[in-house]
Amino acid sequence: MMGETGGRARCLRALQRGGAVASMALVAACAGLSPPPQAAPEPGAVSALDRLSPNRCNGAVASSLAGVRIPVSDVRYLAYGLYRNIPGNIVGYDAWVGLNSQPGAVVVQLDEFCAPRQIYAREGARLPGAR
């Protein structure tokens, strides 16, 4: 009897995690979002980001910055925000990247596995090539 309750609880947690991921994907699809362009990060980029804010997503952030032609030498700060579902599992990250060359920040939004969802500029920042 006790095992059956534990199995139901595990199933419910899995559904909740899946529901959060599915709903975030649906919102992204409805908003017309597409993953940011990716490129091989410049040598030392991940190490430089690790010094600013150690995180397992730094490789994906470095690839996203390279994809929009932002050199890691222009990065002033890196701060992560995270999203959790109701049970408390991480379902996504926002990497806020401050640049030396401009005000504001570039935000790389990632899923719980560090796959980039989108990249955008906030608070006066601009992405290279954006008008």
Side-chain angles (χ1 to χ4, degrees):
M1 188 69 104
M2 193 63 133
E4 183 177 317
T5 303
R8 285 183 186 159
R10 279 192 301 276
C11 183
L12 180 59
R13 283 192 299 274
L15 285 172
Q16 288 170 330
R17 275 195 305 274
V21 172
S23 65
M24 289 171 88
L26 180 61
V27 168
C30 291
L33 304 176
S34 58
Q38 299 291 291
E42 61 193 278
V46 176
S47 296
L49 296 179
D50 284 341
R51 284 190 295 278
L52 294 171
S53 181
N55 190 290
R56 66 187 185 95
C57 295
N58 282 346
V61 171
S63 293
S64 295
L65 293 175
V68 295
R69 299 180 320 277
I70 295 175
V72 75
S73 61
D74 194 22
V75 175
R76 182 175 73 243
Y77 70 83
L78 171 63
Y80 280 90
L82 56 92
Y83 298 97
R84 293 184 184 268
N85 61 10
I86 300 259
N89 301 311
I90 294 174
V91 295
Y93 299 91
D94 280 345
W96 288 73
V97 182
L99 304 175
N100 292 315
S101 62
Q102 56 184 307
V106 169
V107 181
V108 181
Q109 192 176 62
L110 308 128
D111 70 12
E112 72 272 25
F113 304 110
C114 297
R117 287 189 182 132
Q118 65 174 326
I119 188 168
Y120 57 92
R122 296 293 308 261
E123 303 170 357
R126 291 178 49 127
L127 292 173
R131 295 178 188 199

